[in-house]
Structure formats: C-alpha cells, structure tokens
DNA sequence: CTGAAAGCGCTTACAG
DNA sequence: CTGAAAGCGCTTACAG
C-alpha cells in the first residue's frame, strides 16, 4: 500500500530527534512525555504524514480494533429485508467514536468453515451476530473460543450468550388485543419462521393476546411471497376471517397483495396488523397498522453491549429487551 | 483473543518435526515441500487447531486481505434506500472466493479525517467507493496515496479513477420515449440530485428522449419526502401535465402519494415512470413502470474490477457501463 | 521524563 | 527439498 516508502516510527523518531519509545508514547497518548518532546514529535508526524502501521500494532498489542457483524443468513434474504439495513445502521452508529472498524461477514463464508476460522483466528476483537436460527452452533463455538459475542435476537437454544432483542411477545399480545378490541371475531395469524425467536415469540404473544381459541394459523418465512402464499392458505381454510396479524410487515405486504387479488377490502372485510413498522408499512395502500420495534436501536444497543464487554465492564446485564408499541394506521 | 496461548507457527513446526519455513510453505501452498513433510505439518495443524496470526502475516507481506466499501453518504440515507443494500450484496457476492474480508466505512468517519487516514494507512488493499458527490476530493486523494480504487457510479469531476455505472442516460431516454409514444403530451420530470452523475445523466437522458421542449422540471433528492414535495410543485406549476418521469423509484413513491392526495389517478390522469426497478416498484399501487438497472451487478462488477486490479491485471477497461431497460407495469 | 532492547508471529531470500 | 537467520513496524517492560 501507499507507494513503497511509507514513513515508519523510526523515521519520525529521527526527524524529531527522540527515541522510538517517545514517539510511541506520544502517538498513544501515554503520560510522561515532556511538552518539548511531544511538540517535536507532533511536528515530525505532520511533516512526514506518518500513519501508524496497524498490522505491527495489532501484532504486539493482540488487538485488532475491529469488530465483526455476522449475518447468519443467506444474502438474498439479508438484502431484501429492511430489517438488516436498520441493524447495520444501528451497529454502525453504536460504533461511532470507538475507533474501531466494522467487518461484515455473511453466511456464504460458512461453507468451508472460513467464517469460524476467521472469527476465532484473532482477526476481530468481538462479534455481533444477527439472525440466528435454531440449533446454530456458531455462538457457542465463538464464546468457547474466547471471542466476546453479543447476539441480536434471543437465541432459541439455551446458550450462555448475552443478547439484545425487542419484546416480540408483548408486541404480538398488543396486536392481538387491538384486533379483538376493535371488534374482530375471527382472527388469524401468519406466523413467522419458527426456527427463530422472533417467529416463536410473536406467535406465542398472539395466542396469549387472543380470547377465543387461537388456532387459525398459517406459516411463512419473512418474505413477500411467503406472506402472499400464507394469506391464500388462510382464506382457503378460514373463509370467514375478519382479522389477521402478520408477524412482519414484509409478510403483511404479501398478504395485502393476496387480499386484493381475492377482492377483499382492507380494513372493511379484513383488518390487518403487521410487525416492525418498517418503511414498507407506509408505502402500502392502505398503510399498515403495525407493531413498532426500534431495529436501529436494537443494533445500537447490541453494539454498546459488546463494546462495554471489550472495555472490561463487569456488571453488564446478561440480556436486554427493548419495548415495542402499536402504531395505528389505516389497515385496521 | 482466544485464550492466551494460541498456537504459533513455531509450535506447529515443533510438533511436526520440521522448521518454521516448511510450515509456512505448507500453509501458503508453496511448491517444494515433500509429501512426507506436508503430511506431518497438516496433521500438526489439525491437532493444534492452528490458525495463522493475520497481523503477523500482514506485517510482513504488506497486504491486509481486506477491502473497504466506502459509502460517501449520511447514514440515514444509506439505510433507507434499497440501492445501498443491493450494492452491498453485489460487492459481497463479488468478493466470494477471494479470501478477502469486507470493511465497511461510512461518511460519519470523515469528520476528523479518520476515514482517509484509515484508507491511506495500509489497513485495506483497496476500496470500492459509492455514492460520490460532485467535488468530493476523496477518490483523487486515495489514488494519489497509491490505494487501488474503483467507483460505483461515474464521478462528476474529471478524475482518473476507474468506475462502473449503469447507463443512466440511455435508461432515461427510454423512459421519456415510452411516455411520448404512449400518447402523453405534457410530460414533466422530477430530477434527482444534480451533484451526482445519476441525477445529471437521468435528467439529460430525459431531455434527449423528449420531442417537445423539455422544461417541466422539479428537483428532488433520492427520498420519498423529496418526491412528494417535487410532485406537488409540478402540479402547482403545470396543472395540465399528463406524464412524469421520476429519476428514482423512491422519488416515484413520494410522487404517487402526492398524486393520490390531489385526487389524480395513475395512470389515467397522469402516467408515472420510475427508475431503478427496486422492491418499491412492486409494492406500490399501481405498480410502477420503471427503468431497470441491475444494482447488484453494479456492485459485483465494481468489486471484480478492483480485485482484478489487485491481482495485477493490466488490460482493465478504465470504466464499464451496464445496460438499463424499461419494465412496463401499471403506472403507465 | 527518556532510551536501548526484546519480542509479537509471521515470510522470504539465502545457503545448502 | 529443507532450515537458519533476518526483518516487517510496532509496544512494553526495564533501567536510568
């Protein structure tokens, strides 16, 4: 990189007329440097446009000043769901001022064990792992290898890894109660993937919020197509439903499409509640009533948690649950 | 990282009964190692769960095995526009198999010069820079510092930096011709930001594709709100328009909202063409006729270009233009 | 407050 | 085909 003769610490020391130790102290803001020496060093650094070699630093300090964001999901899903964009934004915001860099890792690196090798190989100081599925051994392995890890989203397995999640359960309860209290009587749900806590918790919450038996259930992944399909399934099995809780806005978008195709009016014939309050919720017609979760905050809090861990803080809560809230729009 | 006693090359050498040099040769797949030695080394590596220390490697090879994706844009825009998600996906896909990692850098690091220092400080082997605005000195500086760089999107300044872009001009020509040939006579455009090539080229293309004087223009940034505002402006200044080319789907979404508020039917009263063919185009009602650009391919091609440069390939085209195409839906 | 020296864990000529 | 040795550019006790 940068020509062949990037200036070294040595060069700065010579130019400033001090030792390498002193230059190092100035660079790292260590105490015990005379004003005079510091001045000379600062000047030399500016003059030579000196930038410390990170590799040399990492080698000796055994830190990398970077953390990984591991998205345990296939690329096509990652990038079609606004959820990940917001997580990324939150993580990035959470790192601001930490002087650390973000390395992005995705599922495609997992095939040959490259991802685990990388993470355990001392290339990053810690990791935020998002979108974990049931039975994934990754977090346990990372922790075992001594890597500080914080998860976005509750893990379904009983692993001792701290996590930050939205209160999906309570959010779903609220959604169900909203449908009930607005007079809907035949309420169904399109549940999300049951191999993820978000899917499980929202289904449980919906059931807990219902008064009648809550057994009108169709399943979907977090995608428009899945939502469209699941909605068709519901209409087929329960032609008289008048309310639906979709476990994600992206699912609700698909459901809306199917409802339109079947000539069902929303909310007149069927009320629809989503989950997320993503950008999607306001681009649909009608705009979606939905359960708001602050996904960016989720990413930010998770990152803070990790950074605090790296800073050696001890009294960290083992996990954090962020509040959710109903946002009423035109679909109910 | 990883406990305190990660095994080193030295340990592997001892365990295998060979020298460090030989172990290094095996690890790096260099020729000139006997089958016997290689076997012993491989076994020792597996036994000790040895993972090479990247910092030490970087220090001596002067390579980092990572490249940067620099998004020269404020976070709030980056993460609300599907464009960046697709770019990221493309870049990531383009890196597959390169054994390199992706470091994400955003505008927030620019304030104190940290971003430039990082990039020029030998922390990455090269950079993909996206969303450049007019007059940004960054690419020139990076190139000057000897860092291989490829831009996503044509730079407006006359810098000698390779780039990959969609053929925005031709796409916009097609959009204008489509409106004209479908019988619209009072056609307007909502132009994108004129400090970016995408905005400039699409405006020029629209004008080139028109037959009558093309002067019904409102300006917007790439946002829903901007599009809504610009559409209101157009309706106010040119109440008789019957066709609009919006320079991006996200702008068209805002325009649709305003049109609905004003009781204008699409496409009956006013035909609307977007640009991008993003997910937004199919979640609106009516679905958008739009100009498709393959943003993921844009990211992928840019990354290939960079990797080829890093691999020392000489006959690289200085820039690449990817095709665009009209996708007809219900808004025209 | 300052400097000489050791050492972080690799790769790479060089000699055999 | 193999190994001894130098060196990459830093930080960090240690001695003064």
């Amino acid at each position: 990189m940068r020509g062949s003769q990037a200036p070294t610490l040595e060069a700065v020391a010579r130019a400033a007329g001090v030792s390498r130790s002193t230059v190092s102290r100035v660079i790292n803001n260590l105490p015990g440097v005379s004003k005079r020496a510091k001045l000379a060093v600062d000047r030399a650094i500016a003059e030579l446009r000196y930038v410390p070699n990170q590799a040399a630093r990492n080698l000796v300090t055994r830190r990398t000043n970077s953390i990984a964001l591991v998205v345990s999901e296939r690329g096509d899903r990652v990038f079609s769901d606004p959820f990940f964009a917001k997580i990324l934004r939150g993580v990035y915001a959470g790192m601001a001022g930490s002087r650390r860099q973000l390395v992005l890792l995705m599922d495609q690196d997992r095939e040959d064990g490259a991802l685990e090798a990388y993470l355990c190989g001392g290339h990053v100081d810690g990791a935020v792992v998002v979108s974990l599925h049931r039975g994934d051994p990754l977090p346990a392995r990372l922790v075992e290898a001594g890597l500080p890890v914080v998860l976005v989203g509750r893990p379904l397995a009983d692993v001792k890894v701290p996590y930050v999640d939205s209160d999906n359960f309570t959010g779903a309860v609220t959604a169900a109660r909203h449908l009930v209290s607005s007079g809907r009587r035949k309420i169904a749900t399109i549940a999300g993937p049951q191999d993820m806590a978000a899917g499980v918790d929202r289904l449980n919450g919906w059931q807990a919020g219902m008064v009648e038996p809550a057994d009108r259930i169709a399943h979907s992944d977090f995608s428009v197509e899945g939502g469209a399909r699941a909605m068709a399934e519901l209409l087929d099995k329960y032609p008289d439903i008048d309310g639906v809780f979709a476990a994600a806005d992206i699912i609700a978008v698909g459901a809306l499409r199917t409802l339109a195709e079947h000539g069902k009016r929303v909310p007149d014939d069927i009320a629809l509640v989503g989950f997320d309050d993503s950008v999607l919720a306001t681009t649909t017609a009608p705009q979606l009533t939905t359960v708001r979760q602050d996904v960016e905050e989720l990413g930010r809090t998770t990152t803070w948690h990790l950074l605090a861990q790296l800073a050696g803080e001890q009294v960290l809560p083992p996990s954090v649950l962020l509040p959710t809230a109903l946002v009423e729009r035109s679909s109910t």
Side-chain angles (χ1 to χ4, degrees), chain A:
Chain A
M1 226 49 10
R2 31 191 332 234
S4 38
Q5 67 293 41
T8 68
L9 233 197
E10 175 73 44
V12 174
R14 254 200 316 268
V18 298
S19 72
R20 301 211 309 268
S21 313
T22 299
V23 177
S24 180
R25 288 188 190 102
V26 172
I27 289 169
N28 295 295
N29 269 318
L30 296 178
V33 180
S34 67
K35 284 213 150 49
R36 218 172 141 282
K38 175 164 166 42
L39 218 69
V41 171
D42 282 338
R43 187 169 306 152
I45 287 175
E47 216 158 74
L48 299 173
R49 293 158 156 271
Y50 170 72
V51 182
N53 179 307
Q54 197 61 38
R57 255 176 155 166
N58 293 347
L59 178 57
V60 53
T61 59
R62 298 170 166 285
R63 282 184 304 126
T64 67
N65 291 321
S66 63
I67 66 176
L69 173 60
V70 182
V71 183
S72 187
E73 193 82 42
R74 290 189 28 206
D76 52 344
R77 200 170 104 47
V78 174
F79 295 119
S80 56
D81 190 335
F83 177 84
F84 293 99
K86 285 202 184 157
I87 286 290
L88 184 55
R89 178 178 178 173
V91 169
Y92 206 85
M95 290 176 51
S98 76
R99 293 226 146 249
R100 281 199 163 84
Q101 295 305 327
L102 185 67
V103 178
L104 197 66
L105 298 164
M106 300 207 322
D107 223 38
Q108 86 188 17
D109 295 314
R110 295 191 67 170
E111 293 160 17
D112 51 349
L115 187 139
E116 217 177 301
Y118 183 84
L119 290 173
C120 296
H123 301 200
V124 295
D125 298 331
V128 168
V129 179
V130 61
S131 194
L132 224 42
H133 293 254
R134 189 196 299 281
D136 192 328
L138 186 68
R141 292 238 184 96
L142 299 182
V143 167
E144 196 180 316
L147 187 77
V149 175
V150 183
L151 308 178
V152 172
R154 186 170 74 83
L156 280 178
D158 186 29
V159 286
K160 280 249 176 298
V161 188
Y163 66 87
V164 181
D165 205 346
S166 289
D167 190 347
N168 290 305
F169 181 87
T170 305
V173 168
T174 312
R177 297 237 171 105
H178 172 67
L179 286 169
V180 170
S181 71
S182 64
R184 307 292 167 164
R185 286 298 163 255
K186 308 285 189 181
I187 303 171
T189 191
I190 303 178
Q194 295 300 296
D195 66 339
M196 302 180 73
V200 172
D201 295 350
R202 291 174 199 171
L203 177 54
N204 288 339
W206 174 75
Q207 289 176 317
M210 294 285 287
V211 282
E212 310 171 51
D215 52 5
R216 300 182 197 87
I217 303 172
H219 289 276
S220 170
D221 54 4
F222 289 133
S223 76
V224 175
E225 290 68 31
R229 234 177 289 122
M231 190 66 238
E233 190 187 322
L234 284 180
L235 289 175
D236 185 49
K237 282 167 81 174
Y238 316 104
D240 59 344
I241 51 174
D242 58 3
V244 174
F245 167 53
D249 289 348
I250 199 166
I251 291 176
V253 167
L256 273 178
R257 185 194 293 171
T258 298
L259 287 168
E261 287 167 7
H262 286 246
K264 298 284 191 182
R265 292 164 306 162
V266 177
D268 310 56
D269 301 327
I270 296 185
L272 182 63
V273 180
F275 200 112
D276 283 337
D277 195 23
S278 73
V279 281
L280 296 174
T282 53
T283 59
T284 55
Q287 297 194 358
L288 279 178
T289 291
T290 187
V291 178
R292 167 155 231 270
Q293 65 166 332
D294 193 338
V295 177
E296 188 178 335
E297 180 67 35
L298 200 54
R300 201 184 306 125
T301 304
T302 308
T303 306
W304 281 341
H305 202 301
L306 179 64
L307 292 176
Q309 212 181 119
L310 294 179
E313 291 186 26
Q314 298 297 336
V315 276
L316 292 172
S319 64
V320 180
L321 225 48
L322 301 178
T324 51
L326 189 76
V327 179
E328 292 187 50
R329 294 208 181 86
S330 330
S331 69
T332 58

